[in-house]
Amino acid sequence: MAENQKAAVNNEYDENQIQVLEGLEAVRVRPGMYIGSTGPKGLHHLVYEIVDNAIDEALAGYCSEINVKILPGDVIEVADNGRGIPTGIHPKEGISAATVVYTILHAGGKFGGGGYKVAGGLHGVGASVVNALSEWLELTVKDGKNIHFQRFERGKYDEEIKIIGETSETGTTVKFKADPLIFEETTVYDYEILLKRLREQAFLNAGVRIVFSDLRNEAEPVTEVLHYEGGIREFVEHIHKTRGLEPLTQKVIYVSGVQGDSTAEVAMQYNDSYNEVILSFANNIHTIDGGSHETGFKNALTKVLNDYGKKFNLLKDGEKLIGEDVREGLTAIVSVKLTNCEFEGQTKGRLGNPEVRPFVENMVYEKLMCYLEENPAEARDIFDKSMAAQRAREAAKKARETARRKSAMNSASLPGKLADCSEKDVEFTEIYIVEGDSAGGSAKQGRDRRYQAILPLWGKMLNVEKARIDKVYGNEKLMPVVTALGTSIGEDFDISKLRYGKIIIMADADVDGSHIRTLLLTFFFRFMRQLISNGNVYIAQPPLFKVWRGKQVRYAFSDEERDAYIKELAGENNAKVDVQRYKGLGEMDPDQLWETTMDPERRTIIKVEMEDAVKADEIFTILMGDKVAPRKEFIEKNAKFVENLDI
Ligand code: 1YM
């Protein structure tokens, strides 16, 4: 008698089954708890969970290639050539180990064996969660002898895993369709989002070969091979290339170290911009809010350059480089792999583990110092760049002091165009930042002046890309924003001085509007980052259409919604329905603007997440940088959004 049948006779099987179903049912009842959301983010997370298991197998040294496909109907297939998930009977559960992995909550990790789970999603859940949230999932395991197969529907199965053929190959293949009952908004994958994440994984796990294909459009299959022997060094080169940045030195600096079961590696290179890009990862998970590994790296870098300057008499007595100086124009990747990561913060985007800071700090200090001493010409270029940044910072300080003296920074001289609100408690106040005078005019008339302030923007856009902070303090477009918000910027930023709890960017749904949103988000990201991490920044969503029949009026935010309203208002007898497309906010009268975009009871505003700002910052570098090729590529890729963009 097979183990599982024995178990069934002993009733254990039934109990297990019940437990399993309750476990997976819990995932279906509260999917957000396991994958963050049931929106597009959660949908893509399903793919990462399965790919992570294949990457673990690659890191364990048994798998050299991972194939990821988007098939017609938005079915995902992930296949690796590893050992294959074990199919033998699990002693405790009485069913196949592979079935356990796919049906028992939290069994996604490696049970039994030691070692660490390097990959792993945001919430540390695995295959069983993907299974629970899939309309169907098919698992195929090849163990060098037999092909094993099992099918699940919404996490449940009718049949045990069974042998369906013979093979001399090994590996695991998982095919699944996200459940539209769970992912109500969409089950359509975004190729670019998956590509970005898979590429990132290929950089972080040097040597792993990921082949990614989008086969949804049979006439136009797309395949991309992601394979980087240089690992995170190539990641840095990739960032410079795609953003059109010119490296300052020829080679990417790479340092790495091991301490106990932990490893740390850093790749870094300076470029011709003033912008700092540091991406940190812990166990292949992007730590968007940094943490102990990133702090360790930053501390070491500042210390190395100061000590280098002192040692070679390049710094005068009392002269000192600060972090901002040594990170100007730097692109760096910091990646640590630990047995046990502690993620902190509201979005779990920060690495906690305190022991990691001194580990990374000491490793980077020693190895980077060695590198600089062995490469004096490069060292000098880097040091000189930091000194230039320091001088610019001094200049900025002077500009700031002058600006202060002119008392532009205190609320006694709020910008002339600001229509302030009467409420003073930031918990209740909002400011709408509006592009254009006509939209600003409507907003001023339409608002609730008790708690809504309006700041119309005017003047020429500052190219923040090429401008250091000192330029911001004289910019006619951005300075009013700074004074109105009250917090100041950069080093002086003080969130306790913030004058409005919600900062709402209101711009048209067209190219110019997207330009102004990108500018403001980039500006906030670079000079007032805490506003974003604190969740103060929002994007207003003005409607695209007004649909009406007599006195019945509807506002539509998409073509589909417009069509639905036309149908609704036309009714049985097909009366005439009018449609107006808003080309800009300026076309709305004050009442309409209030009703559709400003009334807290009816409006939709989207909170800006750190990731949105990071994206804006990337786009900004490409759009504003002086390299033609990446800009051209970006525009070609996004042609439908930026058709008329005049750059
Ligand atoms: C397309 C997804 O899941 N590959 C995969 C998973 C496992 C193994 C190999 C594996 C792991 C181990 C031993 C071990 C998993 N096994 C388990 C468990 N690809 C994909 N490839 N033998 C094979 O960790 O010791 C969980 S994942 F728990 F069953 F061992």
Side-chain angles (χ1 to χ4, degrees), residues 398-582:
K398 288 215 182 79
R400 197 161 64 225
E401 274 155 14
T402 316
R404 270 208 201 104
R405 242 175 282 124
K406 286 190 201 152
S407 81
M409 307 299 280
N410 64 43
S411 57
S413 60
L414 285 166
K417 296 223 177 192
L418 174 75
D420 210 355
C421 53
S422 46
E423 174 65 57
K424 291 282 170 260
D425 187 342
V426 289
E427 203 177 313
F428 306 106
T429 56
E430 324 181 322
I431 183 168
Y432 276 81
I433 302 179
V434 190
E435 171 71 354
D437 274 342
S438 69
S442 292
K444 278 181 193 178
Q445 290 174 51
R447 69 178 172 146
D448 186 330
R449 62 179 61 244
R450 284 171 304 174
Y451 61 91
Q452 290 180 321
I454 309 293
L455 179 67
L457 287 183
W458 74 100
K460 237 180 72 188
M461 171 125 67
L462 169 76
N463 187 343
V464 206
E465 184 53 31
K466 289 290 161 199
R468 287 195 175 96
I469 201 163
D470 48 326
K471 294 271 182 5
V472 175
Y473 286 99
N475 180 263
E476 56 170 2
K477 188 148 199 147
L478 293 173
M479 242 358 244
V481 177
V482 177
T483 25
L485 297 185
T487 57
S488 194
I489 57 177
E491 258 181 275
D492 293 332
F493 182 87
D494 181 356
I495 193 127
S496 72
K497 299 235 172 75
L498 183 63
R499 300 181 62 248
Y500 310 96
K502 287 197 176 76
I503 301 156
I504 305 167
I505 302 171
M506 183 158 74
D508 290 332
D510 63 3
V511 172
D512 290 340
S514 126
H515 217 156
I516 195 72
R517 273 189 297 276
T518 306
L519 167 75
L520 283 171
L521 288 184
T522 303
F523 174 66
F524 290 145
F525 178 69
R526 293 194 187 167
F527 299 114
M528 304 167 115
R529 192 165 298 185
Q530 226 191 313
L531 289 182
I532 296 168
S533 56
N534 210 40
N536 296 106
V537 183
Y538 295 80
I539 307 277
Q541 288 286 93
L544 293 174
F545 304 97
K546 177 182 173 182
V547 182
W548 76 98
R549 176 184 164 191
K551 284 216 160 72
Q552 287 179 286
V553 181
R554 304 277 186 277
Y555 296 100
F557 293 83
S558 65
D559 291 357
E560 292 78 32
E561 217 177 337
R562 172 201 58 197
D563 295 343
Y565 286 141
I566 292 175
K567 236 176 146 177
E568 178 206 324
L569 292 182
E572 299 284 293
N573 50 10
N574 269 333
K576 184 176 172 305
V577 175
D578 290 299
V579 177
Q580 179 191 1
R581 186 190 169 90
Y582 291 119

Side-chain angles (χ1 to χ4, degrees), residues 103-377:
T103 55
I104 298 190
L105 209 50
H106 297 306
K110 307 296 164 88
F111 45 82
Y116 50 76
K117 189 169 163 57
V118 167
L122 194 60
H123 305 280
V125 295
S128 59
V129 170
V130 178
N131 195 14
L133 302 179
S134 293
E135 184 182 309
W136 56 264
L137 181 146
E138 291 174 350
L139 173 65
T140 308
V141 175
K142 291 184 277 186
D143 63 7
K145 267 174 77 181
N146 295 311
I147 305 173
H148 304 257
F149 177 86
Q150 188 167 24
R151 181 182 162 94
F152 306 86
E153 281 173 20
R154 303 200 158 100
K156 296 177 190 164
Y157 56 91
D158 290 332
E159 274 188 84
E160 294 292 320
I161 194 163
K162 63 173 185 222
I163 292 172
I164 57 162
E166 292 182 4
T167 181
S168 58
E169 296 175 352
T170 67
T172 306
T173 301
V174 176
K175 222 167 138 177
F176 66 92
K177 166 73 196 171
D179 190 348
L181 297 181
I182 300 284
F183 300 92
E184 286 176 343
E185 190 183 329
T186 182
T187 59
V188 177
Y189 295 94
D190 181 325
Y191 176 76
E192 294 295 331
I193 290 179
L194 290 179
L195 177 63
K196 187 167 184 208
R197 165 79 187 219
L198 293 173
R199 196 193 297 283
E200 187 181 283
Q201 291 301 313
F203 282 131
L204 290 168
N205 303 290
V208 171
R209 192 179 142 91
I210 301 177
V211 181
F212 178 42
S213 323
D214 186 349
L215 307 176
R216 283 174 293 191
N217 180 350
E218 271 148 70
E220 243 185 285
V222 188
T223 293
E224 189 104 27
V225 177
L226 311 165
H227 180 215
Y228 307 104
E229 289 295 347
I232 60 171
R233 294 176 196 81
E234 289 191 56
F235 201 164
V236 170
E237 289 170 349
H238 174 82
I239 291 170
H240 283 160
K241 210 165 143 223
T242 51
R243 294 192 184 200
L245 299 170
E246 200 60 53
L248 180 74
T249 53
Q250 228 180 356
K251 267 179 35 197
V252 174
I253 301 174
Y254 176 83
V255 294
S256 65
V258 183
Q259 189 179 68
D261 288 334
S262 307
T263 64
E265 53 174 350
V266 173
M268 57 180 271
Q269 190 175 38
Y270 289 87
N271 59 62
D272 62 344
S273 80
Y274 303 117
N275 192 16
E276 162 189 337
V277 176
I278 299 179
L279 303 180
S280 61
F281 298 84
N283 289 7
N284 293 339
I285 298 163
H286 184 32
T287 35
I288 197 146
D289 301 318
S292 51
H293 52 341
E294 199 174 306
T295 306
F297 165 67
K298 288 178 174 174
N299 290 352
L301 183 65
T302 309
K303 198 157 178 300
V304 166
L305 283 166
N306 274 295
D307 288 358
Y308 183 89
K310 271 185 230 148
K311 188 163 173 184
F312 295 98
N313 288 320
L314 301 168
L315 277 174
K316 290 192 218 103
D317 268 352
E319 253 184 340
K320 215 177 114 207
L321 296 166
I322 65 164
E324 274 178 37
D325 303 335
V326 303
R327 296 196 297 271
E328 192 178 281
L330 174 71
T331 300
I333 309 291
V334 180
S335 169
V336 297
K337 288 171 184 163
L338 316 169
T339 37
N340 181 24
C341 282
E342 290 155 25
F343 295 103
E344 294 180 339
Q346 227 175 15
T347 52
K348 301 277 173 222
R350 190 173 64 240
L351 182 68
N353 305 58
E355 72 284 1
V356 174
R357 188 193 52 76
F359 163 43
V360 174
E361 194 168 320
N362 295 335
M363 185 279 284
V364 173
Y365 182 85
E366 275 164 35
K367 303 215 161 150
L368 187 58
M369 191 56 114
C370 263
Y371 183 90
L372 294 183
E373 290 184 358
E374 284 167 13
N375 298 276

Side-chain angles (χ1 to χ4, degrees), residues 50-51 53-54 57 78-80 82-86 97-98 101-102 107-111 113 172-174:
I50 301 299
V51 170
N53 286 339
E57 184 68 355
V78 184
D80 69 46
R83 289 168 290 179
I85 307 183
V101 171
Y102 273 81
K110 307 296 164 88
F111 45 82
T172 306
T173 301
V174 176

